[in-house]
Amino acid sequence: MLFRRFATPRPAVPRHAAGDCPCCDPAMAGRREVIAAGLGLLACAAVPGSARAVTLPPVRSIKVERSYTEDSFEGVYFRDGRYDREALHKLDWVFRDLSAAEVTPMDPRLFDVLSAVAGRLDAAEAFVISSGYRTPEHNARNVRRAGGASAVSLHMSGMAADFRLPGRDPYGVARTAAQMQVGGVGLYRREGFVHLDCGPPRRW
Protein backbone atom coordinates (compact mmCIF):
# COMPACT_ATOMS: atom_id res chain seq x y z
CA MET A 1 0.00 0.00 0.00
CA LEU A 2 1.29 3.43 -0.88
CA PHE A 3 1.15 6.17 1.73
CA ARG A 4 1.23 9.88 1.18
CA ARG A 5 3.23 11.44 4.00
CA PHE A 6 2.83 15.00 5.13
CA ALA A 7 5.48 16.86 7.08
CA THR A 8 3.06 18.32 9.60
CA PRO A 9 3.49 18.48 13.37
CA ARG A 10 2.00 15.55 15.20
CA PRO A 11 -0.96 16.76 17.21
CA ALA A 12 -1.48 15.60 20.75
CA VAL A 13 -4.32 13.12 20.56
CA PRO A 14 -6.16 12.05 23.71
CA ARG A 15 -6.03 8.34 24.43
CA HIS A 16 -9.68 7.81 23.61
CA ALA A 17 -9.17 9.34 20.16
CA ALA A 18 -7.85 6.01 18.93
CA GLY A 19 -11.28 4.47 19.34
CA ASP A 20 -9.87 1.19 20.65
CA CYS A 21 -12.69 -0.63 18.92
CA PRO A 22 -12.25 -4.43 18.82
CA CYS A 23 -13.62 -4.46 15.29
CA CYS A 24 -12.81 -5.96 11.97
CA ASP A 25 -12.52 -9.74 11.96
CA PRO A 26 -10.07 -10.47 9.13
CA ALA A 27 -11.90 -13.66 8.21
CA MET A 28 -14.95 -11.56 7.44
CA ALA A 29 -13.37 -8.45 6.02
CA GLY A 30 -11.00 -9.65 3.29
CA ARG A 31 -8.67 -7.29 1.48
CA ARG A 32 -9.58 -3.77 0.49
CA GLU A 33 -10.68 -3.31 -3.10
CA VAL A 34 -8.80 -0.82 -5.22
CA ILE A 35 -11.34 1.33 -7.03
CA ALA A 36 -9.92 2.80 -10.19
CA ALA A 37 -10.50 6.48 -10.81
CA GLY A 38 -13.18 7.05 -13.37
CA LEU A 39 -14.84 3.68 -12.85
CA GLY A 40 -18.59 4.00 -13.25
CA LEU A 41 -20.52 2.09 -10.59
CA LEU A 42 -24.18 1.23 -10.33
CA ALA A 43 -25.94 3.30 -7.73
CA CYS A 44 -26.35 0.40 -5.32
CA ALA A 45 -23.14 -1.52 -6.01
CA ALA A 46 -20.77 0.48 -3.85
CA VAL A 47 -22.24 -0.70 -0.55
CA PRO A 48 -21.25 -4.25 0.41
CA GLY A 49 -23.19 -7.38 1.17
CA SER A 50 -26.92 -7.25 1.72
CA ALA A 51 -26.67 -3.47 1.80
CA ARG A 52 -27.28 -3.61 -1.94
CA ALA A 53 -30.93 -3.37 -1.06
CA VAL A 54 -30.15 0.22 -0.03
CA THR A 55 -30.36 2.35 -3.15
CA LEU A 56 -27.73 5.08 -3.28
CA PRO A 57 -28.54 8.30 -5.13
CA PRO A 58 -26.72 9.25 -8.34
CA VAL A 59 -25.27 12.28 -6.54
CA ARG A 60 -23.81 11.54 -3.10
CA SER A 61 -22.63 13.99 -0.50
CA ILE A 62 -21.24 13.81 3.00
CA LYS A 63 -20.59 16.17 5.89
CA VAL A 64 -17.74 15.34 8.28
CA GLU A 65 -15.58 17.10 10.85
CA ARG A 66 -12.47 15.82 12.57
CA SER A 67 -12.13 15.79 16.33
CA TYR A 68 -9.15 17.71 17.73
CA THR A 69 -8.55 19.61 14.47
CA GLU A 70 -10.37 22.17 12.36
CA ASP A 71 -10.47 19.88 9.33
CA SER A 72 -13.82 19.25 7.69
CA PHE A 73 -15.49 18.35 4.43
CA GLU A 74 -19.00 19.13 3.25
CA GLY A 75 -20.06 18.45 -0.30
CA VAL A 76 -20.47 16.02 -3.17
CA TYR A 77 -17.99 13.18 -3.56
CA PHE A 78 -19.81 11.09 -6.20
CA ARG A 79 -21.57 12.26 -9.36
CA ASP A 80 -21.93 11.32 -13.03
CA GLY A 81 -21.32 7.67 -12.19
CA ARG A 82 -17.91 8.18 -10.61
CA TYR A 83 -16.13 9.30 -7.48
CA ASP A 84 -14.73 12.82 -7.51
CA ARG A 85 -10.95 12.59 -7.12
CA GLU A 86 -10.51 15.99 -5.54
CA ALA A 87 -13.25 15.34 -3.00
CA LEU A 88 -11.74 11.96 -2.12
CA HIS A 89 -8.32 13.54 -1.56
CA LYS A 90 -9.89 16.05 0.83
CA LEU A 91 -11.71 13.28 2.67
CA ASP A 92 -8.50 11.25 2.90
CA TRP A 93 -6.96 14.20 4.74
CA VAL A 94 -9.86 14.53 7.17
CA PHE A 95 -9.71 10.79 7.93
CA ARG A 96 -5.90 10.67 8.29
CA ASP A 97 -4.07 9.10 11.22
CA LEU A 98 -3.53 12.07 13.51
CA SER A 99 -0.97 10.37 15.72
CA ALA A 100 1.33 9.72 12.75
CA ALA A 101 0.25 12.68 10.59
CA GLU A 102 -0.11 10.13 7.79
CA VAL A 103 -2.69 9.91 5.02
CA THR A 104 -3.81 6.92 2.99
CA PRO A 105 -6.47 6.57 0.29
CA MET A 106 -9.67 5.68 2.13
CA ASP A 107 -12.03 3.12 0.66
CA PRO A 108 -14.80 5.22 -0.98
CA ARG A 109 -17.37 2.63 0.06
CA LEU A 110 -16.93 3.88 3.62
CA PHE A 111 -18.24 7.27 2.54
CA ASP A 112 -21.17 5.52 0.84
CA VAL A 113 -21.98 3.79 4.14
CA LEU A 114 -21.81 7.04 6.10
CA SER A 115 -23.85 8.87 3.46
CA ALA A 116 -26.52 6.16 3.43
CA VAL A 117 -26.83 6.20 7.22
CA ALA A 118 -27.03 10.01 7.30
CA GLY A 119 -29.77 9.86 4.69
CA ARG A 120 -31.78 7.30 6.64
CA LEU A 121 -31.43 9.41 9.80
CA ASP A 122 -32.26 12.58 7.87
CA ALA A 123 -29.20 14.04 9.58
CA ALA A 124 -28.05 17.55 8.77
CA GLU A 125 -25.30 17.34 11.39
CA ALA A 126 -21.72 16.48 10.50
CA PHE A 127 -20.21 13.17 11.51
CA VAL A 128 -17.52 14.07 14.06
CA ILE A 129 -14.73 11.60 13.31
CA SER A 130 -12.54 10.45 16.20
CA SER A 131 -10.72 7.71 14.31
CA GLY A 132 -10.41 6.96 10.60
CA TYR A 133 -7.24 5.54 9.08
CA ARG A 134 -4.72 4.01 11.49
CA THR A 135 -1.16 3.09 10.64
CA PRO A 136 -0.12 -0.46 11.57
CA GLU A 137 2.12 1.02 14.26
CA HIS A 138 -0.76 3.01 15.73
CA ASN A 139 -3.02 -0.02 15.67
CA ALA A 140 -0.34 -2.16 17.34
CA ARG A 141 -0.15 0.36 20.18
CA ASN A 142 -3.91 0.05 20.60
CA VAL A 143 -3.62 -3.72 20.77
CA ARG A 144 -0.92 -3.52 23.44
CA ARG A 145 -2.89 -0.97 25.44
CA ALA A 146 -6.33 -2.58 25.13
CA GLY A 147 -6.55 -6.35 25.01
CA GLY A 148 -9.82 -6.31 23.08
CA ALA A 149 -8.50 -4.24 20.16
CA SER A 150 -8.14 -6.06 16.86
CA ALA A 151 -4.65 -6.64 15.47
CA VAL A 152 -6.10 -6.60 11.95
CA SER A 153 -8.53 -3.70 12.24
CA LEU A 154 -10.25 -2.39 9.11
CA HIS A 155 -9.06 1.05 10.20
CA MET A 156 -5.66 0.05 8.81
CA SER A 157 -7.22 -0.47 5.36
CA GLY A 158 -9.09 2.84 5.38
CA MET A 159 -12.39 0.98 5.61
CA ALA A 160 -13.64 2.10 9.04
CA ALA A 161 -14.50 5.17 11.06
CA ASP A 162 -15.42 5.88 14.66
CA PHE A 163 -17.64 8.90 15.14
CA ARG A 164 -20.36 10.66 17.03
CA LEU A 165 -23.30 12.53 15.60
CA PRO A 166 -23.99 15.60 17.77
CA GLY A 167 -27.44 15.62 19.29
CA ARG A 168 -28.06 11.98 18.39
CA ASP A 169 -28.18 9.03 20.77
CA PRO A 170 -25.33 6.66 19.76
CA TYR A 171 -27.63 3.70 20.41
CA GLY A 172 -30.22 5.05 17.99
CA VAL A 173 -27.58 5.71 15.33
CA ALA A 174 -26.09 2.23 15.71
CA ARG A 175 -29.51 0.57 15.69
CA THR A 176 -30.50 2.34 12.49
CA ALA A 177 -27.23 1.42 10.79
CA ALA A 178 -27.54 -2.20 11.90
CA GLN A 179 -31.08 -2.40 10.54
CA MET A 180 -29.84 -1.10 7.19
CA GLN A 181 -27.21 -3.87 6.96
CA VAL A 182 -24.73 -1.52 5.31
CA GLY A 183 -21.59 -2.92 6.94
CA GLY A 184 -20.04 -3.46 10.34
CA VAL A 185 -21.65 -1.56 13.21
CA GLY A 186 -20.21 -1.24 16.71
CA LEU A 187 -21.75 0.66 19.61
CA TYR A 188 -19.47 2.02 22.33
CA ARG A 189 -22.03 3.53 24.65
CA ARG A 190 -19.65 4.30 27.51
CA GLU A 191 -17.22 6.10 25.22
CA GLY A 192 -20.08 7.74 23.31
CA PHE A 193 -19.13 6.74 19.78
CA VAL A 194 -20.27 4.44 16.98
CA HIS A 195 -18.06 2.40 14.64
CA LEU A 196 -19.04 1.93 11.00
CA ASP A 197 -17.12 0.11 8.31
CA CYS A 198 -17.65 -1.08 4.75
CA GLY A 199 -16.94 -4.72 5.53
CA PRO A 200 -19.64 -7.41 5.62
CA PRO A 201 -22.75 -6.58 7.68
CA ARG A 202 -22.28 -7.52 11.34
CA ARG A 203 -22.78 -5.87 14.71
CA TRP A 204 -21.35 -5.80 18.23
Side-chain angles (χ1 to χ4, degrees):
M1 180 181 294
L2 296 177
F3 298 100
R4 301 193 302 278
R5 296 183 179 272
F6 291 80
T8 56
R10 296 188 180 187
V13 181
R15 287 187 58 172
H16 67 275
D20 293 336
C21 52
C23 58
C24 321
D25 184 341
M28 302 176 71
R31 291 180 61 86
R32 170 184 170 188
E33 294 180 1
V34 178
I35 301 180
L39 176 64
L41 298 176
L42 295 176
C44 62
V47 179
S50 59
R52 293 181 179 179
V54 176
T55 301
L56 294 172
V59 177
R60 304 173 203 164
S61 60
I62 193 171
K63 185 176 182 179
V64 294
E65 299 175 358
R66 189 61 191 264
S67 297
Y68 322 114
T69 77
E70 296 182 354
D71 300 308
S72 64
F73 176 87
E74 179 179 1
V76 172
Y77 67 91
F78 183 98
R79 74 175 89 214
D80 300 327
R82 65 186 63 192
Y83 292 100
D84 183 289
R85 277 189 176 186
E86 183 177 353
L88 292 185
H89 288 325
K90 292 178 180 178
L91 284 163
D92 291 343
W93 175 250
V94 174
F95 282 75
R96 71 193 183 278
D97 186 323
L98 295 181
S99 69
E102 188 167 299
V103 180
T104 196
M106 299 295 290
D107 191 321
R109 296 175 302 169
L110 175 63
F111 308 137
D112 290 334
V113 169
L114 292 168
S115 181
V117 171
R120 181 65 61 88
L121 291 169
D122 195 25
E125 312 94 324
F127 289 100
V128 179
I129 308 298
S130 57
S131 183
Y133 169 61
R134 292 183 202 153
T135 64
E137 295 79 10
H138 181 175
N139 199 72
R141 290 196 300 271
N142 285 2
V143 173
R144 290 193 296 269
R145 188 174 66 233
S150 172
V152 284
S153 170
L154 291 185
H155 285 277
M156 293 190 295
S157 295
M159 295 174 65
D162 301 336
F163 67 90
R164 58 186 176 84
L165 202 53
R168 304 283 183 138
D169 176 22
Y171 173 76
V173 173
R175 181 178 61 183
T176 296
Q179 290 171 345
M180 294 173 66
Q181 293 284 289
V182 291
V185 182
L187 172 63
Y188 298 86
R189 189 189 296 271
R190 185 176 64 181
E191 295 84 354
F193 73 85
V194 175
H195 166 102
L196 282 180
D197 64 54
C198 56
R202 64 212 189 284
R203 61 190 299 179
W204 62 91

Coordinates of all heavy atoms in Angstrom, one line a residue, residues 31-97:
R31 N -9.5 -8.4 1.8 CA -8.7 -7.3 1.5 C -9.5 -6.2 0.9 O -10.5 -6.4 0.3 CB -7.6 -7.7 0.5 CG -6.6 -8.7 1.1 CD -5.5 -9.1 0.1 NE -4.8 -7.9 -0.4 CZ -3.8 -7.4 0.1 NH1 -3.3 -7.9 1.2 NH2 -3.2 -6.4 -0.4
R32 N -8.9 -5.0 1.0 CA -9.6 -3.8 0.5 C -9.5 -3.8 -1.0 O -8.5 -4.2 -1.6 CB -8.8 -2.5 1.0 CG -9.2 -1.3 0.4 CD -8.3 -0.2 0.9 NE -8.5 1.0 0.1 CZ -7.8 2.1 0.3 NH1 -6.8 2.1 1.2 NH2 -8.0 3.2 -0.4
E33 N -10.6 -3.4 -1.6 CA -10.7 -3.3 -3.1 C -10.0 -2.0 -3.5 O -10.2 -1.0 -2.9 CB -12.1 -3.4 -3.6 CG -12.8 -4.7 -3.4 CD -14.2 -4.7 -3.9 OE1 -14.6 -3.6 -4.4 OE2 -14.9 -5.7 -3.7
V34 N -9.3 -2.1 -4.6 CA -8.8 -0.8 -5.2 C -9.8 -0.4 -6.3 O -10.0 -1.1 -7.2 CB -7.4 -1.1 -5.8 CG1 -6.9 0.2 -6.5 CG2 -6.4 -1.5 -4.8
I35 N -10.3 0.8 -6.1 CA -11.3 1.3 -7.0 C -10.7 2.3 -8.0 O -10.2 3.4 -7.6 CB -12.5 2.0 -6.3 CG1 -13.1 1.0 -5.3 CG2 -13.5 2.5 -7.2 CD1 -14.3 1.5 -4.5
A36 N -10.6 2.0 -9.2 CA -9.9 2.8 -10.2 C -10.7 4.1 -10.4 O -11.9 4.1 -10.4 CB -9.8 2.1 -11.5
A37 N -9.9 5.2 -10.5 CA -10.5 6.5 -10.8 C -11.2 6.4 -12.1 O -10.7 5.9 -13.1 CB -9.4 7.6 -10.8
G38 N -12.4 7.0 -12.1 CA -13.2 7.0 -13.4 C -14.0 5.8 -13.6 O -14.8 5.8 -14.6
L39 N -14.0 4.9 -12.7 CA -14.8 3.7 -12.8 C -16.3 4.0 -12.5 O -16.6 4.5 -11.5 CB -14.4 2.6 -11.9 CG -15.2 1.3 -11.9 CD1 -15.1 0.6 -13.3 CD2 -14.7 0.4 -10.8
G40 N -17.2 3.8 -13.5 CA -18.6 4.0 -13.2 C -19.2 2.8 -12.5 O -19.0 1.7 -12.9
L41 N -19.9 3.1 -11.4 CA -20.5 2.1 -10.6 C -22.0 2.3 -10.6 O -22.5 3.4 -10.6 CB -20.0 2.2 -9.1 CG -18.5 1.9 -9.0 CD1 -18.1 2.1 -7.5 CD2 -18.1 0.5 -9.4
L42 N -22.7 1.2 -10.5 CA -24.2 1.2 -10.3 C -24.5 1.9 -9.0 O -23.7 1.8 -8.0 CB -24.8 -0.2 -10.4 CG -24.6 -0.9 -11.7 CD1 -25.2 -2.3 -11.6 CD2 -25.4 -0.1 -12.8
A43 N -25.6 2.5 -8.9 CA -25.9 3.3 -7.7 C -26.0 2.5 -6.5 O -25.7 3.0 -5.4 CB -27.3 4.0 -7.9
C44 N -26.3 1.2 -6.5 CA -26.3 0.4 -5.3 C -25.2 -0.6 -5.2 O -25.2 -1.3 -4.2 CB -27.7 -0.4 -5.3 SG -27.8 -1.6 -6.6
A45 N -24.2 -0.5 -6.0 CA -23.1 -1.5 -6.0 C -22.0 -1.2 -5.1 O -21.2 -2.0 -4.8 CB -22.6 -1.8 -7.4
A46 N -21.9 0.1 -4.6 CA -20.8 0.5 -3.8 C -20.9 0.1 -2.4 O -19.9 0.1 -1.7 CB -20.6 2.0 -3.9
V47 N -22.0 -0.3 -1.9 CA -22.2 -0.7 -0.5 C -22.2 -2.2 -0.5 O -22.9 -2.9 -1.3 CB -23.5 -0.1 0.0 CG1 -23.8 -0.6 1.5 CG2 -23.5 1.4 -0.1
P48 N -21.5 -2.8 0.4 CA -21.2 -4.3 0.4 C -22.4 -5.1 0.9 O -23.3 -4.6 1.5 CB -20.1 -4.4 1.4 CG -20.2 -3.3 2.3 CD -20.8 -2.1 1.5
G49 N -22.3 -6.4 0.6 CA -23.2 -7.4 1.2 C -24.6 -7.1 0.9 O -25.0 -6.7 -0.2
S50 N -25.5 -7.4 1.9 CA -26.9 -7.2 1.7 C -27.3 -5.8 1.7 O -28.5 -5.5 1.5 CB -27.7 -8.0 2.9 OG -27.3 -7.4 4.1
A51 N -26.4 -4.9 1.9 CA -26.7 -3.5 1.8 C -27.1 -3.1 0.4 O -27.5 -2.0 0.2 CB -25.5 -2.6 2.2
R52 N -26.9 -4.0 -0.6 CA -27.3 -3.6 -1.9 C -28.8 -3.4 -2.1 O -29.2 -2.9 -3.1 CB -26.8 -4.7 -2.9 CG -25.3 -4.8 -2.9 CD -24.7 -5.8 -3.9 NE -23.3 -5.8 -3.9 CZ -22.5 -6.6 -4.6 NH1 -23.1 -7.5 -5.4 NH2 -21.2 -6.5 -4.5
A53 N -29.5 -3.7 -1.0 CA -30.9 -3.4 -1.1 C -31.1 -1.9 -0.8 O -32.2 -1.3 -1.0 CB -31.7 -4.2 0.0
V54 N -30.1 -1.2 -0.3 CA -30.2 0.2 0.0 C -29.7 0.9 -1.3 O -28.6 0.8 -1.8 CB -29.2 0.6 1.1 CG1 -29.2 2.1 1.3 CG2 -29.6 -0.1 2.4
T55 N -30.6 1.7 -1.9 CA -30.4 2.4 -3.1 C -29.6 3.7 -2.9 O -30.2 4.5 -2.1 CB -31.6 2.6 -3.9 OG1 -32.3 1.4 -4.2 CG2 -31.3 3.3 -5.2
L56 N -28.5 3.8 -3.5 CA -27.7 5.1 -3.3 C -28.1 6.0 -4.4 O -28.2 5.6 -5.6 CB -26.2 4.8 -3.3 CG -25.7 4.0 -2.1 CD1 -24.3 3.6 -2.3 CD2 -25.9 4.7 -0.8
P57 N -28.2 7.3 -4.1 CA -28.5 8.3 -5.1 C -27.4 8.5 -6.1 O -26.2 8.2 -5.9 CB -28.8 9.6 -4.3 CG -27.9 9.4 -3.1 CD -28.0 7.9 -2.8
P58 N -27.7 9.0 -7.3 CA -26.7 9.3 -8.3 C -25.7 10.4 -8.0 O -24.6 10.4 -8.5 CB -27.5 9.6 -9.6 CG -28.8 10.1 -9.0 CD -29.1 9.3 -7.8
V59 N -26.2 11.3 -7.1 CA -25.3 12.3 -6.5 C -25.2 12.1 -5.0 O -26.2 12.1 -4.4 CB -25.8 13.7 -6.9 CG1 -24.9 14.7 -6.2 CG2 -25.9 13.9 -8.4
R60 N -24.0 11.9 -4.5 CA -23.8 11.5 -3.1 C -22.9 12.6 -2.4 O -21.9 13.0 -3.0 CB -23.2 10.2 -2.9 CG -23.9 9.1 -3.7 CD -23.2 7.8 -3.6 NE -23.6 6.9 -4.7 CZ -23.0 5.9 -5.2 NH1 -21.8 5.5 -4.6 NH2 -23.5 5.2 -6.2
S61 N -23.4 13.0 -1.2 CA -22.6 14.0 -0.5 C -22.4 13.5 0.9 O -23.1 12.5 1.4 CB -23.4 15.3 -0.5 OG -24.6 15.2 0.1
I62 N -21.5 14.2 1.6 CA -21.2 13.8 3.0 C -20.8 15.1 3.7 O -20.2 16.0 3.1 CB -20.2 12.7 3.0 CG1 -20.1 12.1 4.4 CG2 -18.8 13.2 2.6 CD1 -19.2 10.8 4.5
K63 N -21.0 15.1 5.0 CA -20.6 16.2 5.9 C -19.9 15.6 7.1 O -20.5 14.9 7.9 CB -21.8 17.0 6.3 CG -21.4 18.3 7.1 CD -22.7 19.1 7.4 CE -22.4 20.3 8.2 NZ -23.6 21.1 8.5
V64 N -18.5 15.9 7.2 CA -17.7 15.3 8.3 C -16.8 16.4 8.9 O -16.4 17.4 8.2 CB -16.9 14.2 7.8 CG1 -17.7 13.0 7.4 CG2 -15.9 14.6 6.7
E65 N -16.5 16.3 10.2 CA -15.6 17.1 10.8 C -14.6 16.2 11.6 O -15.0 15.1 12.0 CB -16.3 18.0 11.8 CG -17.2 19.0 11.2 CD -18.0 19.8 12.3 OE1 -17.8 19.6 13.5 OE2 -18.8 20.7 11.9
R66 N -13.4 16.6 11.8 CA -12.5 15.8 12.6 C -12.3 16.3 14.0 O -12.0 17.5 14.2 CB -11.1 15.8 11.8 CG -10.1 14.8 12.4 CD -10.7 13.4 12.3 NE -10.0 12.4 13.1 CZ -9.0 11.6 12.5 NH1 -8.7 11.8 11.3 NH2 -8.4 10.8 13.3
S67 N -12.4 15.4 14.9 CA -12.1 15.8 16.3 C -10.7 16.3 16.5 O -9.8 15.8 15.8 CB -12.3 14.6 17.2 OG -13.7 14.1 17.2
Y68 N -10.5 17.2 17.4 CA -9.1 17.7 17.7 C -8.5 18.6 16.6 O -7.3 19.0 16.8 CB -8.2 16.5 18.1 CG -8.9 15.5 18.9 CD1 -9.1 14.2 18.4 CD2 -9.5 15.8 20.2 CE1 -9.8 13.2 19.1 CE2 -10.2 14.8 20.9 CZ -10.3 13.5 20.3 OH -11.0 12.6 21.0
T69 N -9.1 18.8 15.5 CA -8.5 19.6 14.5 C -9.7 20.5 13.9 O -10.8 20.3 14.3 CB -8.0 18.8 13.3 OG1 -9.0 18.3 12.5 CG2 -7.1 17.6 13.8
E70 N -9.4 21.3 13.0 CA -10.4 22.2 12.4 C -10.7 21.6 11.0 O -11.3 22.3 10.2 CB -9.9 23.6 12.3 CG -9.7 24.3 13.7 CD -9.3 25.7 13.6 OE1 -9.0 26.2 12.5 OE2 -9.2 26.4 14.6
D71 N -10.3 20.4 10.7 CA -10.5 19.9 9.3 C -11.9 19.4 9.1 O -12.5 18.9 10.1 CB -9.5 18.7 9.1 CG -8.1 19.1 9.2 OD1 -7.7 20.0 8.5 OD2 -7.3 18.4 10.0
S72 N -12.4 19.7 8.0 CA -13.8 19.3 7.7 C -14.0 19.1 6.2 O -13.2 19.6 5.4 CB -14.8 20.3 8.2 OG -14.7 21.5 7.6
F73 N -15.1 18.5 5.8 CA -15.5 18.4 4.4 C -17.0 18.3 4.4 O -17.7 17.6 5.1 CB -15.0 17.1 3.8 CG -15.4 16.9 2.3 CD1 -14.7 17.5 1.3 CD2 -16.6 16.2 2.1 CE1 -15.2 17.3 0.0 CE2 -17.1 16.1 0.7 CZ -16.3 16.7 -0.3
E74 N -17.6 19.1 3.5 CA -19.0 19.1 3.2 C -19.2 19.3 1.7 O -18.8 20.3 1.2 CB -19.7 20.2 4.0 CG -21.2 20.3 3.8 CD -21.9 21.4 4.5 OE1 -21.2 22.1 5.3 OE2 -23.2 21.5 4.4
G75 N -19.8 18.3 1.1 CA -20.1 18.5 -0.3 C -20.2 17.1 -1.0 O -20.4 16.1 -0.4
V76 N -20.2 17.2 -2.3 CA -20.5 16.0 -3.2 C -19.1 15.3 -3.4 O -18.1 15.9 -3.7 CB -21.1 16.5 -4.5 CG1 -21.2 15.3 -5.5 CG2 -22.5 17.1 -4.3
Y77 N -19.2 14.0 -3.3 CA -18.0 13.2 -3.6 C -18.2 12.2 -4.7 O -17.3 11.5 -5.1 CB -17.5 12.5 -2.3 CG -18.5 11.4 -1.8 CD1 -18.3 10.1 -2.3 CD2 -19.5 11.7 -0.9 CE1 -19.2 9.1 -1.8 CE2 -20.4 10.7 -0.5 CZ -20.2 9.4 -1.0 OH -21.1 8.4 -0.6
F78 N -19.5 12.0 -5.1 CA -19.8 11.1 -6.2 C -20.9 11.7 -7.1 O -21.9 12.2 -6.6 CB -20.3 9.8 -5.6 CG -20.6 8.7 -6.6 CD1 -19.7 7.7 -6.9 CD2 -21.8 8.7 -7.3 CE1 -20.0 6.7 -7.8 CE2 -22.1 7.7 -8.2 CZ -21.2 6.7 -8.5
R79 N -20.6 11.7 -8.4 CA -21.6 12.3 -9.4 C -21.2 11.7 -10.7 O -20.1 11.3 -11.0 CB -21.6 13.8 -9.4 CG -20.4 14.5 -10.0 CD -20.6 16.0 -10.1 NE -20.1 16.6 -8.9 CZ -20.7 17.7 -8.4 NH1 -21.8 18.2 -8.9 NH2 -20.2 18.3 -7.3
D80 N -22.2 11.8 -11.6 CA -21.9 11.3 -13.0 C -21.3 9.9 -13.1 O -20.5 9.6 -13.9 CB -21.0 12.3 -13.8 CG -21.6 13.7 -13.8 OD1 -22.9 13.8 -13.9 OD2 -20.9 14.7 -13.8
G81 N -21.8 9.1 -12.2 CA -21.3 7.7 -12.2 C -19.9 7.4 -11.7 O -19.4 6.3 -11.9
R82 N -19.3 8.4 -11.1 CA -17.9 8.2 -10.6 C -17.6 9.0 -9.4 O -18.3 10.0 -9.1 CB -16.9 8.6 -11.7 CG -16.9 10.0 -12.1 CD -16.0 10.3 -13.3 NE -16.5 9.6 -14.5 CZ -15.8 9.4 -15.6 NH1 -14.6 9.9 -15.7 NH2 -16.3 8.8 -16.6
Y83 N -16.6 8.6 -8.6 CA -16.1 9.3 -7.5 C -15.3 10.5 -7.9 O -14.5 10.4 -8.9 CB -15.3 8.4 -6.6 CG -16.1 7.3 -5.9 CD1 -16.1 6.0 -6.4 CD2 -16.9 7.6 -4.8 CE1 -16.8 5.0 -5.8 CE2 -17.6 6.5 -4.2 CZ -17.6 5.3 -4.7 OH -18.3 4.3 -4.1
D84 N -15.5 11.6 -7.2 CA -14.7 12.8 -7.5 C -13.4 12.7 -6.8 O -13.3 12.7 -5.6 CB -15.5 14.0 -7.0 CG -14.9 15.3 -7.3 OD1 -13.8 15.7 -6.7 OD2 -15.4 16.1 -8.1
R85 N -12.3 12.7 -7.6 CA -10.9 12.6 -7.1 C -10.6 13.7 -6.1 O -10.0 13.4 -5.0 CB -9.9 12.6 -8.3 CG -9.7 11.3 -9.0 CD -8.6 11.5 -9.9 NE -8.3 10.2 -10.6 CZ -7.2 10.1 -11.4 NH1 -6.4 11.1 -11.6 NH2 -7.0 8.9 -12.0
E86 N -10.9 14.9 -6.4 CA -10.5 16.0 -5.5 C -11.2 15.9 -4.2 O -10.6 16.1 -3.1 CB -10.8 17.3 -6.2 CG -10.4 18.5 -5.3 CD -10.7 19.9 -6.0 OE1 -11.1 19.8 -7.2 OE2 -10.5 20.9 -5.4
A87 N -12.5 15.5 -4.2 CA -13.3 15.3 -3.0 C -12.7 14.2 -2.2 O -12.5 14.3 -0.9 CB -14.7 15.1 -3.3
L88 N -12.3 13.1 -2.8 CA -11.7 12.0 -2.1 C -10.4 12.3 -1.5 O -10.1 11.9 -0.3 CB -11.6 10.8 -3.1 CG -12.8 10.1 -3.6 CD1 -12.5 8.9 -4.4 CD2 -13.8 9.7 -2.5
H89 N -9.6 13.1 -2.2 CA -8.3 13.5 -1.6 C -8.6 14.4 -0.3 O -7.8 14.2 0.7 CB -7.5 14.4 -2.6 CG -6.9 13.6 -3.7 ND1 -6.5 12.3 -3.5 CD2 -6.7 13.8 -5.0 CE1 -6.0 11.8 -4.6 NE2 -6.1 12.7 -5.6
K90 N -9.6 15.2 -0.3 CA -9.9 16.1 0.8 C -10.4 15.2 2.0 O -10.0 15.4 3.1 CB -10.9 17.1 0.5 CG -10.4 18.2 -0.5 CD -11.5 19.2 -0.9 CE -11.0 20.2 -1.8 NZ -12.0 21.2 -2.2
L91 N -11.2 14.2 1.6 CA -11.7 13.3 2.7 C -10.6 12.4 3.2 O -10.6 12.2 4.5 CB -12.8 12.4 2.1 CG -14.2 13.1 1.9 CD1 -15.1 12.3 0.9 CD2 -14.9 13.3 3.2
D92 N -9.7 12.0 2.4 CA -8.5 11.3 2.9 C -7.8 12.0 4.0 O -7.3 11.5 5.0 CB -7.5 11.0 1.8 CG -8.0 9.9 0.8 OD1 -9.0 9.2 1.1 OD2 -7.5 9.9 -0.4
W93 N -7.6 13.3 3.8 CA -7.0 14.2 4.7 C -7.7 14.3 6.0 O -7.2 14.2 7.1 CB -6.7 15.6 4.1 CG -6.1 16.6 5.1 CD1 -6.7 17.6 5.7 CD2 -4.8 16.6 5.6 NE1 -5.9 18.3 6.5 CE2 -4.7 17.7 6.5 CE3 -3.7 15.7 5.4 CZ2 -3.5 18.0 7.2 CZ3 -2.5 16.0 6.1 CH2 -2.4 17.1 7.0
V94 N -9.0 14.4 6.0 CA -9.9 14.5 7.2 C -9.8 13.2 8.0 O -9.7 13.2 9.2 CB -11.3 14.8 6.8 CG1 -12.2 14.8 8.1 CG2 -11.4 16.2 6.1
F95 N -9.7 12.1 7.3 CA -9.7 10.8 7.9 C -8.3 10.3 8.2 O -8.1 9.1 8.6 CB -10.4 9.8 7.1 CG -11.9 9.9 7.1 CD1 -12.6 10.9 6.5 CD2 -12.7 8.9 7.8 CE1 -14.0 11.0 6.5 CE2 -14.1 9.0 7.9 CZ -14.7 10.1 7.2
R96 N -7.3 11.1 8.1 CA -5.9 10.7 8.3 C -5.6 10.2 9.7 O -6.4 10.5 10.6 CB -4.9 11.8 8.0 CG -4.9 13.0 9.0 CD -4.2 14.2 8.4 NE -4.1 15.3 9.4 CZ -5.1 16.1 9.6 NH1 -6.2 16.0 9.0 NH2 -4.9 17.1 10.5
D97 N -4.5 9.5 9.9 CA -4.1 9.1 11.2 C -3.4 10.3 11.9 O -2.3 10.7 11.5 CB -3.1 7.9 11.1 CG -2.7 7.4 12.5 OD1 -2.6 8.2 13.4 OD2 -2.5 6.1 12.6

